[in-house]
Amino acid sequence: MATPLPAPSWTVTSVLERSYTLARDNFAAFFTVAVIFGAVSLVVNILSLGLLAGLVGLVCSVATSICLTWGTLQAIAGRKPEWEPMLRQLQGPMFGRLLLLGCIQYFVIAVSAIVVIGPLFLIPLWAVTIPVMMIERADIGGAFNRSMDLTAGRRLPILGAFLLWFVIFAIGAIVIITLLGHGALGSLVMWIYGALAGIVVHTLPAIFYVLLREEKEGVSPAHVVAALD
């Protein structure tokens, strides 16, 4: 029988605080990246392109996650990420594979929402797939498997962090829609609000990846991020 893991040295609250701090300290760069991709999605939605709008929105969400994951890893290493190097990840040799990985992951999680319980199982299971591929150069199958290995025994607090941010930002979105409606002003404010929420939530995969590597394998954050050099 496998020996149960001891209680983690981190808590859901400490992770939320760290994600907020990283977003705050790197606000200009993170927000610029999120707004750029959000603007593309906003324009496509305004044009009412149907299924194409959904596909573009999916790709923009994944691209945002890739760029902000890279930026978060840099920030964890004590560097100051800038928006231009983050956007240049779109030209990186692994971007196509990372994009495909993220699109598969996001799509499957979205479809799993049909049975309600699906996302609650898959989100923590696949929480660190993108940083796994980015740091360890894993293929798509390897990234999913490695994420499942790293998150084993820690999925409930991981899910808790994602859910708490979701609830907090969902309440804010409800307030905005109630006050401003779905018109032009409401859409503009929601675009900005979505970008603000994104720069916080998209830091979580990198944070959890570094914490889990340190906890389970004794690998320091500096050593983890050194693979990006």
Side-chain angles (χ1 to χ4, degrees), residues 54-69 98-113 118-119 122-123 126-131 144 162 198 201-205:
L55 293 173
V56 171
L58 172 63
V59 170
C60 287
S61 294
V62 175
T64 303
S65 183
I66 293 168
C67 293
L68 292 183
T69 294
L98 285 163
L99 184 65
L100 180 58
L101 169 72
C103 285
I104 293 171
Q105 178 176 334
Y106 282 33
F107 178 76
V108 173
I109 289 174
V111 171
S112 74
L122 294 177
I123 289 173
W126 295 342
V128 297
T129 54
I130 288 178
F144 282 117
F162 279 98
V201 175
H202 284 306
T203 63
L204 291 178

Side-chain angles (χ1 to χ4, degrees), residues 62-147:
V62 175
T64 303
S65 183
I66 293 168
C67 293
L68 292 183
T69 294
W70 185 89
T72 302
L73 289 168
Q74 296 289 339
I76 289 173
R79 303 164 189 164
K80 190 69 175 177
E82 301 294 340
W83 67 270
E84 288 181 287
M86 279 193 280
L87 285 180
R88 282 201 294 271
Q89 299 311 300
L90 304 185
Q91 301 174 321
M94 294 191 63
F95 176 71
R97 193 194 306 172
L98 285 163
L99 184 65
L100 180 58
L101 169 72
C103 285
I104 293 171
Q105 178 176 334
Y106 282 33
F107 178 76
V108 173
I109 289 174
V111 171
S112 74
I114 295 172
V115 294
V116 183
I117 198 68
L120 301 181
F121 174 74
L122 294 177
I123 289 173
L125 192 73
W126 295 342
V128 297
T129 54
I130 288 178
V132 161
M133 179 177 283
M134 192 175 288
I135 296 293
E136 302 180 29
R137 306 296 193 265
D139 58 21
I140 291 175
F144 282 117
N145 289 332
R146 175 71 163 145
S147 180

Side-chain angles (χ1 to χ4, degrees), residues 150-172:
L150 283 173
T151 59
R154 296 290 183 249
R155 290 171 193 154
L156 191 58
I158 290 173
L159 177 62
F162 279 98
L163 283 183
L164 278 172
W165 273 136
F166 174 79
V167 170
I168 291 169
F169 288 122
I171 292 171

Side-chain angles (χ1 to χ4, degrees), residues 76 135-136 146 150 208-227:
I76 289 173
I135 296 293
E136 302 180 29
R146 175 71 163 145
L150 283 173
F208 280 125
Y209 177 73
V210 171
L211 286 174
L212 292 170
R213 289 288 305 275
E214 185 174 25
E215 177 187 23
K216 294 188 173 186
E217 301 173 352
V219 181
S220 69
H223 182 76
V224 170
V225 180

Side-chain angles (χ1 to χ4, degrees), residues 174-190:
I174 291 171
V175 171
I176 292 171
I177 292 173
T178 300
L179 293 176
L180 301 178
H182 295 280
L185 179 59
S187 297
L188 177 62
V189 173
M190 280 301 298

